[in-house]
Amino acid sequence: MLKALGRCTLFNKHRPPGNRRRNKMAEKSKILIIGGTGYIGKFIVEASAKYGHPTFLLVRESTLSDPSKSALIDSFKKSGVHFVTGDLYDHESLVKAIKQVDVVISTVGHQQLGDQGNIIAAIKEAGNVKKFYPSEFGNDVDRTHAVEPAKTAFATKAGIRRAIEAENIPHTYVSSNCFAGYFLPTLAQPGVTAPPRDKVVILGDGNAKAVYNDEHDIGTYTIKTVDDPRTLNKIVYIKPPANIYSFNELISLWEKKIGKTLEKVYLDEDQVVKNIQESPVPLNVVLSISHSILVKGDQTNFEIKPSFGVEASALYPDVKYTTVDEYLNRFV
């Protein structure tokens, strides 16, 4: 009898407030993305909408009228993304946008990393944010052996972490390691548009292991963490086992796919550092990040401990991620 009453609409209307609270808790967080028309930002916006989060995108008026962004803006509109006009440098517009949501994700670019203090200040004033994701999406910046100019870029990100922690803002830091789209289409060879079929230059001895993740998967894993209490105040490392390769292993895999052995030119660390020092901006930035990843092994040379981090593919084994092996099949 009681079960039948439980199914009755009238009875449901008079359920105690505790049940209604639990239902509200099950609702997906509203997410504001700042920098969502940039390289990695667009994948996170796409994943947020795909997985049913009310998704808000902070945009400048000039972005909405930019012809080069029109196709992307149209695709966001079709996905149900809400556009909020504002600017990283307009405090009032930031606070107004943040008050509409539960979670803030920053994906601002290299030049704006240090200006994320503006977001921190707005979050503090708004007072309603249950989690903030600063723009990271690369190496764990607290565990690197980078040389300049990457050293300064990583230090800027680390400084933002310390500012977030000093203000006691709930947070998640996403260490997504390498963007597959940056490295795999050329196997990190400068000045080419396809993976090499004759000769390959290898930084260091080629034995340092790195992690190469498809950008769609980075978006998916990031959004999966939003309402997951296991990720609160943690670093989330995206390190799926099938995507961890040394550069030598990566070249060997490519050679098997094309049925050919490549000529290999190894640059020792001293030569890599010399090349960095002699290269103009922004090539020196790219080379110094590659040095950190491919020579120093900064993505894999430490243990993820429960005190500070969790690994995404272990948290979400249901995600069917694109493997490096599958990714490289596009170029055979």
Side-chain angles (χ1 to χ4, degrees), residues 219-231:
T220 296
Y221 282 124
T222 299
I223 296 304
K224 286 269 190 182
T225 69
V226 164
D227 288 321
D228 187 343
R230 298 174 296 177
T231 67

Side-chain angles (χ1 to χ4, degrees), residues 30-34 54-58 84 94 97-98 101-106:
K30 301 186 197 75
I31 301 174
L32 174 70
I33 298 160
I34 301 172
T55 303
F56 297 76
L57 178 60
L58 187 79
V84 183
L94 274 181
I98 288 167
V101 300
D102 308 301
V103 171
V104 177
I105 300 176
S106 170

Side-chain angles (χ1 to χ4, degrees), residues 14-88:
H14 295 90
R15 283 188 174 176
N19 286 340
R20 290 198 294 272
R21 277 197 296 272
R22 279 193 293 274
N23 289 338
K24 185 170 179 61
M25 286 172 67
E27 292 176 6
K28 297 199 173 188
S29 292
K30 301 186 197 75
I31 301 174
L32 174 70
I33 298 160
I34 301 172
T37 62
Y39 182 78
I40 197 61
K42 61 181 176 287
F43 295 100
I44 293 172
V45 173
E46 179 185 274
S48 179
K50 177 181 177 182
Y51 288 98
H53 288 271
T55 303
F56 297 76
L57 178 60
L58 187 79
V59 288
R60 296 185 295 271
E61 289 281 5
S62 58
T63 301
L64 291 173
S65 58
D66 183 349
S68 69
K69 300 282 187 183
S70 61
L72 184 62
I73 295 295
D74 287 345
S75 73
F76 287 164
K77 285 177 180 175
K78 288 174 184 173
S79 299
V81 173
H82 306 279
F83 295 90
V84 183
T85 304
D87 193 286
L88 180 61

Side-chain angles (χ1 to χ4, degrees), residues 116-150:
Q116 291 177 103
N118 298 348
I119 303 173
I120 294 170
I123 286 172
K124 286 298 288 184
E125 181 171 327
N128 61 297
V129 169
K130 69 180 187 182
K131 203 194 272 192
F132 175 43
Y133 293 67
S135 187
E136 296 248 346
F137 307 104
N139 288 15
D140 177 358
V141 294
D142 283 331
R143 292 168 180 85
T144 75
H145 303 82
V147 298
E148 294 295 358

